[in-house]
Amino acid sequence: MTTSINFISLVGRASKDPEIKYFHSGACVTKLDIAVKRGKDDEPDWFSLEFWDKTAEVAANYVRKGGLIGVQGEVIINFWNDEQGNYRYKPVVRVNNLELLASAKQDTPVAPPNNANSNIPIPTPVKTKAKINPNNN
């Protein structure tokens, strides 16, 4: 019997502030790219991340450009045809677990700001798991 596993774990820096989008169904998605270095002098590898629901809200509220984050999730491949009819695809990491590791300005652990205007409970250490439902677009 053959078993396959789709699991990825990455630690990298956010390339920009996250973008969040809300749907009529009440679901939300946050998208973000991170740079992951293999070694000290190597160029980074870039990964596109997708967060859903509670994890999406945490990412949108607390991840900032340059911040160090750890993620775990699964790789999905998005397929489409562009305007010229060319077949395109893009791998995306659908994040199940997010850990905020350090802020952009200093490599110190990230804590939610005291004046956070959010009803999202943040556990210590900052971790969350999203219930992923790809049909809630």
Side-chain angles (χ1 to χ4, degrees), residues 8-76:
I8 188 167
S9 182
L10 301 166
V11 173
R13 295 208 176 264
S15 66
K16 61 181 178 178
D17 289 347
E19 300 171 9
I20 191 166
K21 179 180 178 182
Y22 290 90
F23 299 95
H24 293 292
S25 66
C28 64
V29 64
T30 296
K31 296 184 178 183
L32 173 68
D33 292 338
I34 63 169
V36 177
K37 283 196 158 193
R38 293 184 195 188
K40 183 179 177 183
D41 297 325
D42 294 335
E43 288 294 316
D45 294 318
W46 292 89
F47 294 87
S48 294
L49 308 179
E50 187 176 87
F51 306 83
W52 285 88
D53 300 322
K54 291 269 187 202
T55 307
E57 292 177 340
V58 170
N61 286 325
Y62 297 108
V63 175
R64 291 295 167 253
K65 179 180 179 178
L68 185 68
I69 62 172
V71 296
Q72 295 174 338
E74 61 186 340
V75 177
I76 59 170

Side-chain angles (χ1 to χ4, degrees), residues 2 17 122 125 134:
T2 303
D17 289 347
I122 306 296

Side-chain angles (χ1 to χ4, degrees), residues 105-124:
K105 296 186 183 201
Q106 63 227 12
D107 285 335
T108 57
V110 174
N114 293 334
N115 61 353
N117 191 10
S118 172
N119 294 327
I120 302 168
I122 306 296
T124 304

